[in-house]
Amino acid sequence: MDLDIFFRELKENLPDKAIDISESLGLLKETINDTMEAIAAKVNESIIARDLEKMKQYLGLVEQGHDYEVKIEEIIKMLDVEELAIKEEINENIGNKILPNYDEYTVDNKVEHTLYENFTHIRPFGFRIDGTELIEVKTWQEVFLKTCELLLYKDEKKFVQFENKPNMNGKKNKYFSVSVKGMRKPEMISNKIYVETNMSSNSIRNIIVKMLREYDIKVNDFKLYFRADYTNINKENL
């Protein structure tokens, strides 16, 4: 079965899995992008040191990395999940089912986590950037909005420019805009710009990674803390 047929049928029959794959590939693409920048720095070092063998090795990695980026982008385009309904968080999905004791699923909110993890069925407790004071939250939308507020305060001009950057927006919908047109659930940030909040936890993760890169902030300097992990509840309800 060709990949395009496989992904088309996946979107039709298992849209939630298509979304998971697309979001995971988006994070992989951003991670490769970060790696490419690190390799580029090594290329420059080898040129300065006149180490031609090392330079050739690093250039080979650049070429391979670029090929992977192109392939990943092709698959993301095949999936084209932007118009699929975004999954609601688990406490909004259970409907009228008997509610479990959520206290049994709480986790240590002092354990640090990074943006390289899967946040499906995870409830956030808070986050901090580069060792700053902990900012407590209850939802992933709050994580996104409060991160946006911090970055806009840090450099308003840079943040407002997200509206016109293709890599910071969807192919069909805006994630950042001064107008609500074409946005599903916009929220105003500091009376300056609207941001899209109708996104899953992993989509929010991916856009935060992109924002940090625009601000030259290391992704690993963004630390997250969890409130609860409802993964097992979801497995029981399958």
Side-chain angles (χ1 to χ4, degrees), residues 3-206:
L3 271 180
D4 57 343
I5 297 175
F6 170 75
F7 288 131
R8 184 167 63 248
E9 293 189 1
L10 190 67
K11 286 172 61 179
E12 292 176 358
N13 299 295
L14 292 167
D16 57 331
K17 296 304 178 184
I19 292 171
D20 286 345
I21 292 172
S22 181
E23 290 171 340
S24 297
L25 287 174
L27 180 60
L28 176 59
K29 183 183 174 184
E30 291 299 321
T31 306
I32 291 177
N33 192 301
D34 286 341
T35 303
M36 293 282 276
E37 291 183 359
I39 295 172
K42 289 294 185 180
V43 171
N44 290 334
E45 289 178 9
S46 62
I47 290 174
I48 293 172
R50 301 297 191 272
D51 190 337
L52 299 185
E53 286 302 314
K54 277 292 184 182
M55 182 185 71
K56 290 178 181 178
Q57 290 178 18
Y58 289 131
L59 288 174
L61 289 175
V62 169
E63 184 175 357
Q64 288 181 312
H66 175 68
D67 289 342
Y68 291 138
E69 283 182 312
V70 171
K71 188 61 179 178
I72 290 169
E73 183 60 28
E74 287 176 356
I75 296 175
I76 291 174
K77 287 180 179 179
M78 287 182 195
L79 285 164
D80 190 22
V81 299
E82 192 170 338
E83 294 303 317
L84 293 178
I86 299 300
K87 294 179 296 182
E88 297 294 334
E89 296 296 340
I90 192 165
N91 68 336
E92 296 169 347
N93 271 338
I94 56 177
N96 295 322
K97 295 178 182 178
I98 297 175
L99 297 180
N101 180 6
Y102 286 136
D103 289 340
E104 296 178 3
Y105 299 91
T106 58
V107 296
D108 187 349
N109 61 25
K110 292 182 174 58
V111 175
E112 288 186 349
H113 298 269
T114 73
L115 288 166
Y116 292 114
E117 300 179 38
N118 183 357
F119 299 150
T120 304
H121 310 310
I122 300 295
R123 275 283 181 269
F125 173 78
F127 71 94
R128 69 174 85 242
I129 302 177
D130 197 20
T132 56
E133 183 178 350
L134 176 71
I135 298 173
E136 293 190 21
V137 296
K138 293 182 179 179
T139 68
W140 289 108
Q141 284 70 30
E142 278 191 78
V143 174
F144 179 51
L145 291 172
K146 291 183 181 296
T147 300
C148 287
E149 290 172 358
L150 288 172
L151 295 180
L152 187 143
Y153 180 78
K154 182 180 180 67
D155 189 333
E156 180 180 316
K157 182 178 179 181
K158 183 186 293 291
F159 194 93
V160 172
Q161 288 175 343
F162 287 169
E163 178 179 19
N164 299 313
K165 290 197 169 188
N167 67 307
M168 299 302 295
N169 292 277
K171 294 177 178 62
K172 300 177 182 178
N173 298 95
K174 287 277 194 179
Y175 298 154
F176 303 89
S177 180
V178 294
S179 168
V180 298
K181 184 178 180 180
M183 302 184 82
R184 296 186 183 94
K185 192 177 178 182
E187 291 285 344
M188 175 66 80
I189 300 295
S190 303
N191 292 317
K192 298 293 182 181
I193 189 169
Y194 290 102
V195 298
E196 179 62 74
T197 62
N198 187 32
M199 295 187 285
S200 69
S201 55
N202 286 335
S203 289
I204 287 172
R205 171 201 65 193
N206 289 357

